[in-house]
Amino acid sequence: MSLHFETTAAIINKFRTYRGDLSWTPEEIRDNYQVEDLVPPPRFKPPHPGFTDLLPLPPPPANPPFSQEQNFINSAPPDLEDATQTGISGGPGNWRGKKFLGRGNSGYVGLWEYTRKNPKDVPYRQVVVKESSETIPGDDLRHEGTLLTKLRDTKSQHIVHILNDPQVVDAQAEHINPAWNNKVRRLIMECCPVGDLTDLGRHICETTLWRIFECLIDGITVLEVGNDWTVSNEPEATPRPNWEHIVHFDLKPGNILLGEDRLTHFTAPVCKVGDFALAWRYNSDATWRERFELREKGTTTFYAPEQFSESWEAANYQTLGIAGLYEKSNIWGIGYIMYCLVLIRYRGPDPMEPFTPRWKLNNETAKGRTFGLPLRGQSPHYSRALTDLVQECLYGQPGHRPGLNELKPRVQDGWKAAFKANATIDAWEDFLPHPPPPPPPKIKRQVCKGICKTEKLCKRKATADRYCRQHQNQRP
Ligand SMILES: [Zn+2]
Ligand SMILES: [Zn+2]
């Protein structure tokens, strides 16, 4: 068996199990894979009752940091310390790791703070450091660094920006494996102090959800055309010359970071697309082998139908309009995020349960199969216009999903309608990280108010109604 066949077989079976199908043996793959045309599947009747019995899921537990992670936060990144290296450095000993923020796809992420008093020393007081957790470089962070450097040129506020050009490592100076020499081990990123979309975890106003939706559209517009929208008469996104469409492949609530900019986003935080570790440039000239390999980009539970669809296994896969078409994968991604927000869940739609709505989505007959619970306007909190549009972004066939030029005005209209229906907005304080709870008030030990036989005040502990057990008979 060739190595090529083995990897191909592994990918085929990975997505068969992802959809709930049985794995194939090598013989079964030879006999069945891309042998016959796909017969359209029967209409799927969703088993779910819908919204009624849904409770918000508790957030995943925060893992206590491992010792490696502790070492990371105690370290002194040369990019921040060595003033000869980068424009953001502030000299040795002036930056301190404040908080371990988590594990990304490519390593550890932590918050560093500049500790010297004079704020003129450095352009940033807080930065986020992302560092590869590998001792021997497999994939270094060069790919992500290159994409981020390109994205920084757009100056868009809907992207989490890299702050300095990625630096290569001097392995000897850092006391790490020499294989790291001249590789990129670390990225210095902008800090987003408000948190990310998983921190919301509660019902927010519909007007806020439309605002978030629009920010997400603005973010993936930058990925697609390399520019922000301009507004003259109608919003327009002009492609940057020589820009190649970036597919994020890992759009999920935790990768959308929140910033505060009340000048441009005065009712809700600005949402920024972050973590480009799995992102990939894509153009429609890609070969079918390249498209097949892109199936693997992303993390479990966040794949798009063009990656996991059974249409890959049909002989006519190239003409079915699903397999390998990544032009609208980012639209699926933001649909996925909005779905989580609308349902207050941390899990998106189940890949095993596509269905064709027998009802209209935003007054149009459903174009085909879609994913997720049948929302069908049953949300007790959000309008049908919003939940239908989310379901439209989750169509299995990429061509059925609305494109950016259609989504942008629809989301703006959605906000207007929601604001007209109910002009409430969320309070800013509700978005900001919660301050630590105040210490519990000290309870004074209560002393009995009774009088003893010696005619002195009793000093025993009061049990009920401010009298001790012996003096309960003295209660008024
Ligand atoms: Zn925005
Ligand atoms: Zn007493």
Short mmCIF file of all heavy atoms in Angstrom, two decimals, residues 276-315:
data_model
loop_
_atom_site.label_atom_id
_atom_site.label_comp_id
_atom_site.label_asym_id
_atom_site.label_seq_id
_atom_site.Cartn_x
_atom_site.Cartn_y
_atom_site.Cartn_z
N PHE A 276 -4.77 32.57 13.25
CA PHE A 276 -4.69 32.17 11.84
C PHE A 276 -3.80 30.95 11.64
O PHE A 276 -3.29 30.72 10.54
CB PHE A 276 -4.20 33.35 10.99
CG PHE A 276 -5.25 34.42 10.86
CD1 PHE A 276 -5.43 35.36 11.87
CD2 PHE A 276 -6.10 34.45 9.77
CE1 PHE A 276 -6.42 36.33 11.77
CE2 PHE A 276 -7.09 35.42 9.66
CZ PHE A 276 -7.25 36.35 10.66
N ALA A 277 -3.62 30.15 12.70
CA ALA A 277 -2.71 29.01 12.62
C ALA A 277 -3.14 28.02 11.53
O ALA A 277 -2.30 27.38 10.90
CB ALA A 277 -2.64 28.30 13.97
N LEU A 278 -4.44 27.86 11.32
CA LEU A 278 -4.91 26.87 10.34
C LEU A 278 -5.38 27.51 9.05
O LEU A 278 -5.86 26.83 8.15
CB LEU A 278 -6.04 26.05 10.96
CG LEU A 278 -5.70 25.38 12.30
CD1 LEU A 278 -6.91 24.70 12.88
CD2 LEU A 278 -4.56 24.39 12.12
N ALA A 279 -5.26 28.83 8.97
CA ALA A 279 -5.75 29.53 7.78
C ALA A 279 -4.90 29.19 6.57
O ALA A 279 -3.72 28.83 6.70
CB ALA A 279 -5.73 31.03 8.04
N TRP A 280 -5.50 29.30 5.39
CA TRP A 280 -4.81 28.90 4.18
C TRP A 280 -5.25 29.78 3.04
O TRP A 280 -6.41 30.15 2.95
CB TRP A 280 -5.14 27.43 3.87
CG TRP A 280 -4.02 26.73 3.18
CD1 TRP A 280 -3.97 26.42 1.86
CD2 TRP A 280 -2.80 26.29 3.76
NE1 TRP A 280 -2.77 25.79 1.58
CE2 TRP A 280 -2.04 25.70 2.72
CE3 TRP A 280 -2.25 26.33 5.05
CZ2 TRP A 280 -0.77 25.16 2.93
CZ3 TRP A 280 -1.00 25.80 5.26
CH2 TRP A 280 -0.27 25.22 4.22
N ARG A 281 -4.29 30.13 2.18
CA ARG A 281 -4.66 30.88 0.98
C ARG A 281 -5.32 29.93 0.00
O ARG A 281 -4.93 28.77 -0.11
CB ARG A 281 -3.43 31.50 0.34
CG ARG A 281 -2.91 32.65 1.15
CD ARG A 281 -2.12 33.58 0.26
NE ARG A 281 -1.26 34.39 1.11
CZ ARG A 281 0.06 34.22 1.17
NH1 ARG A 281 0.65 33.33 0.41
NH2 ARG A 281 0.78 34.97 1.96
N TYR A 282 -6.31 30.44 -0.70
CA TYR A 282 -7.08 29.57 -1.59
C TYR A 282 -7.46 30.36 -2.81
O TYR A 282 -7.91 31.50 -2.70
CB TYR A 282 -8.33 29.10 -0.86
CG TYR A 282 -9.35 28.44 -1.74
CD1 TYR A 282 -9.13 27.17 -2.25
CD2 TYR A 282 -10.52 29.10 -2.10
CE1 TYR A 282 -10.05 26.56 -3.07
CE2 TYR A 282 -11.46 28.50 -2.92
CZ TYR A 282 -11.21 27.24 -3.40
OH TYR A 282 -12.13 26.65 -4.22
N ASN A 283 -7.26 29.78 -3.97
CA ASN A 283 -7.88 30.41 -5.14
C ASN A 283 -8.56 29.34 -5.97
O ASN A 283 -8.28 28.15 -5.84
CB ASN A 283 -6.88 31.25 -5.94
CG ASN A 283 -5.79 30.41 -6.55
OD1 ASN A 283 -6.07 29.47 -7.29
ND2 ASN A 283 -4.55 30.74 -6.24
N SER A 284 -9.47 29.79 -6.80
CA SER A 284 -10.34 28.83 -7.48
C SER A 284 -9.60 28.01 -8.54
O SER A 284 -10.18 27.12 -9.14
CB SER A 284 -11.55 29.55 -8.07
OG SER A 284 -11.20 30.85 -8.43
N ASP A 285 -8.29 28.30 -8.76
CA ASP A 285 -7.51 27.44 -9.68
C ASP A 285 -6.97 26.20 -8.98
O ASP A 285 -6.29 25.39 -9.61
CB ASP A 285 -6.28 28.19 -10.22
CG ASP A 285 -6.66 29.50 -10.88
OD1 ASP A 285 -7.83 29.62 -11.29
OD2 ASP A 285 -5.80 30.39 -10.96
N ALA A 286 -7.23 26.06 -7.68
CA ALA A 286 -6.65 24.93 -6.93
C ALA A 286 -7.00 23.60 -7.59
O ALA A 286 -8.11 23.41 -8.09
CB ALA A 286 -7.17 24.95 -5.49
N THR A 287 -6.03 22.68 -7.60
CA THR A 287 -6.27 21.36 -8.19
C THR A 287 -7.15 20.54 -7.24
O THR A 287 -7.30 20.88 -6.06
CB THR A 287 -4.95 20.58 -8.38
OG1 THR A 287 -4.41 20.32 -7.08
CG2 THR A 287 -3.96 21.38 -9.20
N TRP A 288 -7.70 19.44 -7.76
CA TRP A 288 -8.56 18.62 -6.90
C TRP A 288 -7.77 17.94 -5.80
O TRP A 288 -8.28 17.70 -4.72
CB TRP A 288 -9.37 17.62 -7.73
CG TRP A 288 -10.52 18.35 -8.34
CD1 TRP A 288 -10.60 18.85 -9.60
CD2 TRP A 288 -11.73 18.74 -7.67
NE1 TRP A 288 -11.79 19.53 -9.78
CE2 TRP A 288 -12.51 19.47 -8.60
CE3 TRP A 288 -12.25 18.55 -6.39
CZ2 TRP A 288 -13.76 20.01 -8.30
CZ3 TRP A 288 -13.50 19.08 -6.09
CH2 TRP A 288 -14.24 19.80 -7.02
N ARG A 289 -6.49 17.65 -6.07
CA ARG A 289 -5.66 17.07 -5.00
C ARG A 289 -5.47 18.10 -3.88
O ARG A 289 -5.57 17.78 -2.70
CB ARG A 289 -4.30 16.63 -5.57
CG ARG A 289 -3.39 15.94 -4.57
CD ARG A 289 -3.94 14.58 -4.14
NE ARG A 289 -3.57 14.27 -2.75
CZ ARG A 289 -4.01 13.21 -2.08
NH1 ARG A 289 -4.86 12.36 -2.64
NH2 ARG A 289 -3.63 12.99 -0.85
N GLU A 290 -5.21 19.36 -4.27
CA GLU A 290 -5.06 20.41 -3.26
C GLU A 290 -6.36 20.59 -2.46
O GLU A 290 -6.35 20.73 -1.24
CB GLU A 290 -4.67 21.74 -3.92
CG GLU A 290 -3.22 21.81 -4.35
CD GLU A 290 -2.93 22.92 -5.36
OE1 GLU A 290 -3.87 23.51 -5.95
OE2 GLU A 290 -1.75 23.20 -5.57
N ARG A 291 -7.47 20.56 -3.19
CA ARG A 291 -8.76 20.70 -2.52
C ARG A 291 -8.99 19.54 -1.55
O ARG A 291 -9.52 19.71 -0.47
CB ARG A 291 -9.90 20.73 -3.55
CG ARG A 291 -9.96 22.02 -4.33
CD ARG A 291 -10.75 21.83 -5.61
NE ARG A 291 -10.56 22.97 -6.49
CZ ARG A 291 -11.36 24.04 -6.49
NH1 ARG A 291 -12.40 24.09 -5.69
NH2 ARG A 291 -11.12 25.05 -7.29
N PHE A 292 -8.58 18.34 -1.97
CA PHE A 292 -8.73 17.17 -1.10
C PHE A 292 -7.91 17.37 0.18
O PHE A 292 -8.37 17.09 1.29
CB PHE A 292 -8.28 15.90 -1.83
CG PHE A 292 -8.42 14.66 -0.99
CD1 PHE A 292 -9.66 14.03 -0.86
CD2 PHE A 292 -7.33 14.13 -0.30
CE1 PHE A 292 -9.80 12.90 -0.07
CE2 PHE A 292 -7.47 13.00 0.49
CZ PHE A 292 -8.70 12.38 0.60
N GLU A 293 -6.69 17.89 0.02
CA GLU A 293 -5.85 18.07 1.21
C GLU A 293 -6.39 19.16 2.14
O GLU A 293 -6.19 19.09 3.35
CB GLU A 293 -4.40 18.36 0.78
CG GLU A 293 -3.67 17.05 0.51
CD GLU A 293 -2.48 17.18 -0.41
OE1 GLU A 293 -2.06 18.33 -0.69
OE2 GLU A 293 -1.98 16.13 -0.87
N LEU A 294 -7.10 20.13 1.57
CA LEU A 294 -7.69 21.17 2.42
C LEU A 294 -8.82 20.62 3.30
O LEU A 294 -9.26 21.28 4.24
CB LEU A 294 -8.21 22.33 1.57
CG LEU A 294 -7.14 23.23 0.94
CD1 LEU A 294 -7.77 24.27 0.03
CD2 LEU A 294 -6.30 23.92 2.01
N ARG A 295 -9.28 19.41 3.00
CA ARG A 295 -10.31 18.80 3.85
C ARG A 295 -9.84 18.73 5.30
O ARG A 295 -10.63 18.79 6.23
CB ARG A 295 -10.62 17.37 3.40
CG ARG A 295 -11.28 17.26 2.07
CD ARG A 295 -11.70 15.83 1.78
NE ARG A 295 -12.89 15.45 2.55
CZ ARG A 295 -13.44 14.25 2.52
NH1 ARG A 295 -12.91 13.30 1.78
NH2 ARG A 295 -14.52 13.99 3.23
N GLU A 296 -8.54 18.56 5.47
CA GLU A 296 -7.99 18.31 6.80
C GLU A 296 -7.74 19.58 7.61
O GLU A 296 -7.41 19.52 8.78
CB GLU A 296 -6.67 17.58 6.64
CG GLU A 296 -6.84 16.12 6.36
CD GLU A 296 -6.29 15.30 7.50
OE1 GLU A 296 -5.09 15.01 7.47
OE2 GLU A 296 -7.07 14.98 8.41
N LYS A 297 -7.84 20.75 6.97
CA LYS A 297 -7.56 22.00 7.69
C LYS A 297 -8.67 22.27 8.69
O LYS A 297 -9.85 22.16 8.37
CB LYS A 297 -7.48 23.18 6.71
CG LYS A 297 -6.34 23.07 5.75
CD LYS A 297 -5.08 23.63 6.34
CE LYS A 297 -3.88 23.18 5.54
NZ LYS A 297 -2.68 23.04 6.36
N GLY A 298 -8.29 22.64 9.90
CA GLY A 298 -9.32 22.95 10.88
C GLY A 298 -9.24 22.01 12.06
O GLY A 298 -8.38 21.14 12.12
N THR A 299 -10.14 22.20 13.03
CA THR A 299 -10.16 21.32 14.19
C THR A 299 -11.49 20.60 14.24
O THR A 299 -12.49 21.08 13.72
CB THR A 299 -9.97 22.11 15.51
OG1 THR A 299 -10.66 23.35 15.40
CG2 THR A 299 -8.52 22.36 15.79
N THR A 300 -11.48 19.45 14.88
CA THR A 300 -12.69 18.64 15.00
C THR A 300 -13.86 19.49 15.47
O THR A 300 -13.68 20.38 16.26
CB THR A 300 -12.49 17.51 16.03
OG1 THR A 300 -11.56 17.97 16.98
CG2 THR A 300 -12.03 16.25 15.38
N THR A 301 -15.01 19.17 14.99
CA THR A 301 -16.29 19.84 15.23
C THR A 301 -16.43 21.18 14.50
O THR A 301 -17.47 21.79 14.57
CB THR A 301 -16.62 20.09 16.73
OG1 THR A 301 -15.84 21.19 17.20
CG2 THR A 301 -16.38 18.87 17.59
N PHE A 302 -15.38 21.65 13.82
CA PHE A 302 -15.55 22.93 13.14
C PHE A 302 -15.39 22.81 11.62
O PHE A 302 -15.15 23.79 10.95
CB PHE A 302 -14.58 23.98 13.69
CG PHE A 302 -14.84 24.29 15.13
CD1 PHE A 302 -14.05 23.74 16.12
CD2 PHE A 302 -15.90 25.10 15.49
CE1 PHE A 302 -14.31 24.01 17.46
CE2 PHE A 302 -16.17 25.37 16.82
CZ PHE A 302 -15.37 24.82 17.81
N TYR A 303 -15.49 21.61 11.09
CA TYR A 303 -15.35 21.44 9.65
C TYR A 303 -16.59 21.96 8.92
O TYR A 303 -17.68 22.00 9.48
CB TYR A 303 -15.14 19.97 9.30
CG TYR A 303 -13.84 19.42 9.81
CD1 TYR A 303 -13.81 18.49 10.84
CD2 TYR A 303 -12.63 19.84 9.26
CE1 TYR A 303 -12.61 17.98 11.31
CE2 TYR A 303 -11.43 19.34 9.73
CZ TYR A 303 -11.43 18.41 10.76
OH TYR A 303 -10.24 17.93 11.22
N ALA A 304 -16.38 22.32 7.65
CA ALA A 304 -17.49 22.77 6.81
C ALA A 304 -17.91 21.61 5.89
O ALA A 304 -17.12 20.71 5.63
CB ALA A 304 -17.04 23.97 5.98
N PRO A 305 -19.16 21.63 5.40
CA PRO A 305 -19.64 20.54 4.54
C PRO A 305 -18.72 20.28 3.34
O PRO A 305 -18.55 19.13 2.94
CB PRO A 305 -21.02 21.03 4.09
CG PRO A 305 -21.46 21.93 5.18
CD PRO A 305 -20.22 22.61 5.68
N GLU A 306 -18.11 21.33 2.77
CA GLU A 306 -17.23 21.12 1.61
C GLU A 306 -16.02 20.26 2.01
O GLU A 306 -15.33 19.73 1.16
CB GLU A 306 -16.78 22.45 1.00
CG GLU A 306 -16.37 23.55 1.97
CD GLU A 306 -17.57 24.38 2.47
OE1 GLU A 306 -18.65 23.79 2.65
OE2 GLU A 306 -17.40 25.59 2.69
N GLN A 307 -15.78 20.12 3.32
CA GLN A 307 -14.72 19.24 3.80
C GLN A 307 -15.26 17.86 4.14
O GLN A 307 -14.67 16.85 3.79
CB GLN A 307 -14.06 19.85 5.05
CG GLN A 307 -13.36 21.17 4.79
CD GLN A 307 -12.83 21.80 6.06
OE1 GLN A 307 -13.59 22.28 6.89
NE2 GLN A 307 -11.52 21.78 6.23
N PHE A 308 -16.40 17.82 4.86
CA PHE A 308 -16.84 16.51 5.38
C PHE A 308 -17.91 15.82 4.54
O PHE A 308 -18.22 14.66 4.77
CB PHE A 308 -17.28 16.62 6.84
CG PHE A 308 -18.54 17.42 7.12
CD1 PHE A 308 -19.79 16.93 6.76
CD2 PHE A 308 -18.48 18.65 7.78
CE1 PHE A 308 -20.95 17.65 7.04
CE2 PHE A 308 -19.62 19.38 8.06
CZ PHE A 308 -20.87 18.87 7.69
N SER A 309 -18.45 16.50 3.54
CA SER A 309 -19.61 15.96 2.80
C SER A 309 -19.35 14.59 2.18
O SER A 309 -18.26 14.31 1.67
CB SER A 309 -19.99 16.94 1.69
OG SER A 309 -20.81 16.31 0.75
N GLU A 310 -20.41 13.75 2.17
CA GLU A 310 -20.33 12.44 1.52
C GLU A 310 -20.19 12.58 0.01
O GLU A 310 -19.86 11.62 -0.67
CB GLU A 310 -21.55 11.58 1.88
CG GLU A 310 -22.87 12.00 1.22
CD GLU A 310 -23.66 13.01 2.03
OE1 GLU A 310 -23.04 13.90 2.67
OE2 GLU A 310 -24.90 12.93 2.02
N SER A 311 -20.43 13.79 -0.51
CA SER A 311 -20.32 13.97 -1.96
C SER A 311 -18.89 13.72 -2.44
O SER A 311 -18.68 13.40 -3.61
CB SER A 311 -20.79 15.36 -2.37
OG SER A 311 -19.91 16.34 -1.88
N TRP A 312 -17.90 13.84 -1.52
CA TRP A 312 -16.52 13.52 -1.87
C TRP A 312 -16.37 12.08 -2.36
O TRP A 312 -15.46 11.75 -3.10
CB TRP A 312 -15.60 13.71 -0.66
CG TRP A 312 -15.05 15.09 -0.51
CD1 TRP A 312 -15.40 16.01 0.43
CD2 TRP A 312 -14.02 15.70 -1.30
NE1 TRP A 312 -14.66 17.16 0.27
CE2 TRP A 312 -13.80 17.00 -0.79
CE3 TRP A 312 -13.27 15.29 -2.40
CZ2 TRP A 312 -12.87 17.88 -1.33
CZ3 TRP A 312 -12.33 16.16 -2.94
CH2 TRP A 312 -12.14 17.44 -2.41
N GLU A 313 -17.26 11.21 -1.89
CA GLU A 313 -17.10 9.78 -2.17
C GLU A 313 -17.78 9.35 -3.47
O GLU A 313 -17.72 8.18 -3.85
CB GLU A 313 -17.63 8.97 -0.98
CG GLU A 313 -16.68 9.06 0.20
CD GLU A 313 -17.31 8.67 1.52
OE1 GLU A 313 -18.35 8.00 1.52
OE2 GLU A 313 -16.74 9.07 2.57
N ALA A 314 -18.46 10.29 -4.14
CA ALA A 314 -19.17 9.95 -5.36
C ALA A 314 -18.27 10.13 -6.58
O ALA A 314 -17.33 10.93 -6.56
CB ALA A 314 -20.41 10.83 -5.50
N ALA A 315 -18.58 9.39 -7.63
CA ALA A 315 -17.79 9.50 -8.86
C ALA A 315 -17.92 10.90 -9.46
O ALA A 315 -16.98 11.45 -10.02
CB ALA A 315 -18.25 8.45 -9.87
#
